[in-house]
Each structure stands twice: as C-alpha cells, then as structure tokens.
Amino acid sequence: MHDVGLQQRERAIIVAVVRKGADNTITEEHLEELRLLLDTAGADVVDDLVQERERPDIATAIGKGKVEELVELVKEHEAAMVVFDDDLTPAQVRNLEKAVNVKVLDRTQVILDIFAANARSVEARTQVELAQLEYLLPRLTRMWTHLSKQFGGIGTKGPGETQIETDRRMYRTRMQRLREKLADIDVQRSVQRKGREGLPRFALVGYTNAGKSSLMKVLTQSDVHIEDRLFATLDTTVRAFELPAGQKALLSDTVGFIRKLPTQLVASFRSTLAETLEADVLIHVVDCAHSHVRDHIAVVEQTLSSLGVESTPTLLVFNKVDLVTDKHILDDLEAEYPGCIFISAARGVNLGRLLTRMQDEYEDLGIHITLHIPYESMNIVSTIYDDTEVLHRDDTETSVVLVVKVASGNLDRFRSRYEQFMHESPTSSTPV
Ligand SMILES: Nc1nc2c(ncn2[C@@H]2O[C@H](COP(=O)(O)OP(=O)(O)OP(=O)(O)O)[C@@H](O)[C@H]2O)c(=O)[nH]1
Ligand SMILES: [Mg+2]
C-alpha cells in the first residue's frame, strides 16, 4: 500500500500557513496537534515554521522567501521531511520537494498513515485503503508529470500519458473491489443490527483520545483497547450494559474525530459509523483537561452534522475531571454547556449519575402514537390528557385524533390500555 515512510522515527519540520493577524494561540494549538499526530506516526518534530499570508501562495503555499528559510532549516536539522498543517495541491508538493529535496507531506497524508498503521480488522483495512486510493487518484497525473519532468526529454510524455491511464484504471478497479467488499461487510452488519432491535442504543462519540473506549470499558465491564495515542480505536464495537432501572441497553464505541479529518476517511468509514448514526442517544465524550476543549466540541459537532446526525439527542460528558485542578475551569464549562456532566472514566467518578442521566435521556425521547377516539368513547380523552403528553389534537367528523408522546418505559402499559384506539403501530421515536 501507499507508504509515506514514517516507519522509523524520522525528523520532521512542520509548517503552518496562517492569515495575517491570526490568533497565535490557535496556530500554536494546531501545530501542537500536528506534532502529536507525527509522534503517533513515528516522527519527531525538530522545528516549526509559521508563514503569515493573506492566502497561500499558488506555487509553494509559503512563497519564495519562506521556501529559502525552509531549505535552510531542513539542512540545519537534517530533517527527513516537511509536513504542512494544511492540504497542499500536487503542484505545491512538487515545487516544494524540488526546493527542499526531502519529502513534503500534508496533514491528510499523516492521518491516513496513522489509520493505515492502526487498522487491524479486515473492514478497517479495507476502509483505509479505499480512502488512500481516493486521496491518490486525483494526484496521479501530477505524480507522473513530476517524473516525466525529472527524467525529462524526448519521448517521456507519450508513454507517461499511457501510464497514467493504465494506473488510473488499475486504481479504479481496485477501488471498485474495495467498495464491493465493504458493501458485503455492511450487509453482515445490518443482519447483526437486526438482532439487536428494540433495545435502547447509546453511542460514544468524541475527539480522538477523549476517553471513549475507557468509558466503554467501565460502563460495560468489557475488555476494550485503550491507549494514550490518537486513533487507537478504528472499529466500532457494541456491548450490552444495564441501565439503573435494570433495562438492558447497548453501547457502541467507535473511531474518534479530529480537526480536518480527511473527507476520504469520513466517507469510507460511514458504515463503521452506522451504529452511531442510528443510536437513540449520543454520549459526546470530551477531555475537559485539554486546553482547547471548546474547539474539540465544535469539531465533533461539525463532523456529526456533516454525517447528518445533528438531531440525535446528545449528552455532553466532560471526562478526565481528575486532571483538572482549577475549579473555575469546570464552573465555566458548566455555565457554558448547561446539562453537561463531569466524570472520570479512569477514576470511576460520577459514573452512577451518568447512567441515570443516560436513562433519563432515553426515556425523554418518547414515542409518538396516534389515537383515533370515536365520539362515543369521548370520556376517555381526558384520561389520556392526564396520562400522557398530547402533542396534537384534531376533531374530525367521526373521531378525535390525538398524537401523544409516550415514554419508552411506559409503552407496554400504554398499549395495554389504549390498544383499541391505536390504528397503527408506533411510527417514530423522534424527540420533541
Ligand atoms: N487521567 C485520566 N485519564 C483518562 C481518563 N479517561 C481516559 N484516560 C486516558 O486517556 C487516554 C485515551 O483514552 P481512550 O479511552 O483510549 O480514548 P479514546 O477516546 O477511545 O481514543 P481514540 O480511540 O484514540 O479516539 C488513555 O491513556 C486513557 O487512560 C480519565 O478519566 N482520567
Ligand atoms: Mg478509543
């Protein structure tokens, strides 16, 4: 597979291009995250370079003068690569590589490399390979033009073009095969999901390294892979657990998100995320000890909305409270995010309360049921008003039509009482 060569620990210089007057602390944070990504990928960052520009230079992203500075830095540190925090065009990569004489990568490639290294299951490996090919396909032409130029001269263009076509076809055939493989896995998955229908479903979501798997482990008492590194989890696992009232429920743990998660990965991981997409309630786990908590929350919310799940009720859970010594930080978060809850998965702090909140959140969902009450049974209408929340009433010629919201836990009791008026089975479980 494509390999950006981060197997041994290599020395890297990182580069960010920012707008003039950009917030320094944000730039610093982005560079820090790139440092962490490279560390996970197996490289040590030896220096960084920040270029302020209105917009990135078309040819080199950073512009001529800065390229010279970069060349010097590479020499000085004997760096093996330069990594940009932003996506580079193939032309920029080509120009930069020519100038600095070491490989030039962007953030997307580093993330793809980490995913490739961490993928264990057939599904994850297939998804990562598909994302990698997706990333490479539009870059093929440039790669070959690059080579033709390098080796130059008469006759390189013709075969080059043919080669590009052959490669493209090969890539496309391979991608097609990977997609078919994923579709097969998806069928198996939905069969498994069918077997679990009817149980309340919760899904852990959050920034990478927030502690989702740790929480999965303590809530379901199962053996889960936990590691202090980015993207330790790539596969979705589903485990059963019990809500405080004794009801059996399901919890899923899945891949974490990150700022600028490559779109190719989001697309190919869609089926892995299916459990998340279909959950009744999301548990958004946040590392509250991180200096950029709010950014992390926003990134996760954006990613969720790009996946079309912004309307699923979500419980905001601040994890790792044990690491926060300044109580003001927690007070501020609590004021800013009403309804949030503070826990420590590792220390077992506040987990009972979290479970209760999960149960409440699920019960709040309710189920919408339409009742048709003929006028001769009018006396029951007021009982229904006492029993449930009436969302809508329509007095037709023959009957009173009521749309009511029934808490999931009360469904059986409700059904036994009013079955004769329920024309259809419960239709949706959308929250109000
Ligand atoms: N101090 C402290 N550390 C925690 C807590 N919860 C998790 N951690 C640590 O945070 C690191 C990441 O935990 P994981 O559970 O693997 O995080 P994740 O969200 O599943 O991460 P990815 O799968 O990589 O996205 C591990 O080193 C955990 O031991 C906590 O409550 N307190
Ligand atoms: Mg995990």
Side-chain angles (χ1 to χ4, degrees):
M1 210 29 266
H2 176 69
D3 171 14
V4 291
L6 303 186
Q7 265 67 34
Q8 299 139 359
R9 291 204 78 81
E10 293 178 285
R11 298 155 76 83
I13 290 171
I14 53 178
V15 183
V17 186
V18 299
R19 272 170 188 274
K20 280 214 168 78
D23 185 339
N24 270 340
T25 60
I26 293 177
T27 312
E28 221 2 87
E29 156 63 13
H30 291 180
L31 286 174
E32 184 51 40
E33 190 172 89
L34 187 57
R35 223 169 263 144
L36 208 58
L37 280 167
L38 278 160
D39 180 50
T40 307
D44 296 317
V45 173
V46 287
D47 212 339
D48 56 57
L49 189 79
V50 177
Q51 167 69 317
E52 281 196 358
R53 287 183 71 95
E54 268 325 306
R55 59 174 63 93
D57 179 68
I58 293 177
T60 61
I62 47 178
K64 242 191 190 146
K66 270 285 184 219
V67 170
E68 276 163 27
E69 220 175 289
L70 188 58
V71 171
E72 285 312 309
L73 280 182
V74 168
K75 275 194 202 138
E76 183 191 327
H77 294 287
E78 294 177 0
M81 74 183 100
V82 175
V83 184
F84 279 67
D85 191 47
D86 307 271
D87 281 342
L88 295 171
T89 66
Q92 287 168 337
V93 172
R94 188 176 68 235
N95 294 332
L96 285 161
E97 282 188 344
K98 217 162 145 193
V100 297
N101 228 354
V102 293
K103 66 190 159 197
V104 174
L105 312 177
D106 58 22
R107 183 185 164 91
T108 299
Q109 273 173 293
V110 177
I111 295 178
L112 284 171
D113 206 71
I114 295 172
F115 269 68
N118 290 4
R120 295 279 171 272
S121 69
V122 175
E123 182 176 25
R125 285 207 305 268
T126 312
Q127 287 165 323
V128 174
E129 189 182 345
L130 181 61
Q132 285 178 312
L133 292 178
E134 207 85 70
Y135 175 83
L136 287 176
L137 190 65
R139 288 169 172 80
L140 272 180
T141 325
R142 299 291 193 171
M143 272 160 50
W144 278 102
T145 323
H146 183 22
L147 290 181
S148 317
K149 285 246 173 70
Q150 210 172 329
F151 301 118
I154 302 161
T156 43
K157 190 163 187 305
E161 293 293 330
T162 320
Q163 190 60 49
I164 293 165
E165 276 318 307
T166 317
D167 282 9
R168 271 216 189 108
R169 251 200 315 280
M170 241 168 54
Y171 271 51
R172 290 222 173 87
T173 313
R174 178 77 187 145
M175 285 161 79
Q176 188 51 35
R177 205 161 295 152
L178 294 173
R179 282 199 192 96
E180 283 162 13
K181 203 160 149 189
L182 287 175
D184 283 348
I185 299 174
D186 205 25
V187 170
Q188 291 167 18
R189 259 186 192 289
S190 49
V191 171
Q192 283 171 7
R193 274 208 297 276
K194 279 244 156 54
R196 305 184 193 122
E197 256 166 29
L199 292 177
R201 281 155 58 169
F202 297 85
L204 295 160
V205 293
Y207 214 76
T208 180
N209 212 41
K212 300 176 292 298
S213 301
S214 304
L215 189 53
M216 173 85 163
K217 187 176 172 164
V218 287
L219 290 185
T220 66
Q221 274 115 47
S222 55
D223 189 20
V224 182
H225 180 71
I226 293 161
E227 216 180 329
D228 191 13
R229 69 181 299 193
L230 307 181
F231 303 113
T233 308
L234 291 187
D235 289 296
T236 299
T237 49
V238 183
R239 297 276 185 272
F241 71 106
E242 243 180 45
L243 290 168
Q247 189 181 14
K248 195 175 161 197
L250 296 172
L251 183 65
S252 69
D253 176 29
T254 194
V255 58
F257 301 148
I258 198 165
R259 186 177 69 88
K260 288 203 201 154
L261 186 61
T263 50
Q264 299 90 344
L265 280 174
V266 178
S268 72
F269 271 74
R270 224 168 208 288
S271 57
T272 296
L273 290 164
E275 296 279 351
T276 302
L277 309 184
E278 293 167 14
D280 297 305
V281 178
L282 300 182
I283 315 293
H284 180 171
V285 184
V286 184
D287 174 356
C288 62
H290 198 282
S291 52
H292 286 74
V293 194
R294 292 162 184 81
D295 291 343
H296 287 189
I297 294 174
V299 165
V300 172
E301 283 174 351
Q302 280 156 21
T303 314
L304 286 172
S305 102
S306 79
L307 286 160
V309 284
E310 66 267 70
S311 60
T312 310
T314 305
L315 208 54
L316 193 63
V317 178
F318 287 110
N319 187 32
K320 308 196 189 182
V321 273
D322 56 297
L323 296 180
V324 182
T325 41
D326 183 355
K327 196 179 169 297
H328 289 112
I329 294 181
L330 303 184
D331 290 344
D332 287 350
L333 287 173
E334 187 161 31
E336 219 172 306
Y337 300 97
C340 68
I341 167 164
F342 296 93
I343 65 153
S344 166
R347 299 284 175 90
V349 178
N350 233 359
L351 299 179
R353 197 166 136 55
L354 170 63
L355 282 167
T356 307
R357 287 290 307 279
M358 286 164 71
Q359 176 171 291
D360 292 349
E361 203 67 40
Y362 181 74
E363 282 175 358
D364 272 359
L365 280 177
I367 291 173
H368 299 185
I369 296 174
T370 306
L371 299 171
H372 297 259
I373 298 133
Y375 284 111
E376 59 267 26
S377 310
M378 265 309 273
N379 55 340
I380 203 142
V381 171
S382 63
T383 325
I384 293 174
Y385 269 90
D386 291 340
D387 246 14
T388 62
E389 187 180 339
V390 176
L391 302 170
H392 182 78
R393 172 175 179 153
D394 194 7
D395 293 78
T396 70
E397 253 172 49
T398 53
S399 61
V400 177
V401 181
L402 298 177
V403 179
V404 299
K405 184 169 113 177
V406 182
S408 323
N410 291 335
L411 190 58
D412 287 343
R413 196 172 57 90
F414 186 87
R415 200 194 299 274
S416 68
R417 234 180 242 185
Y418 303 109
E419 182 120 53
Q420 66 198 101
F421 307 113
M422 289 164 61
H423 280 212
E424 307 138 86
S425 53
T427 44
S428 78
S429 60
T430 31
V432 184

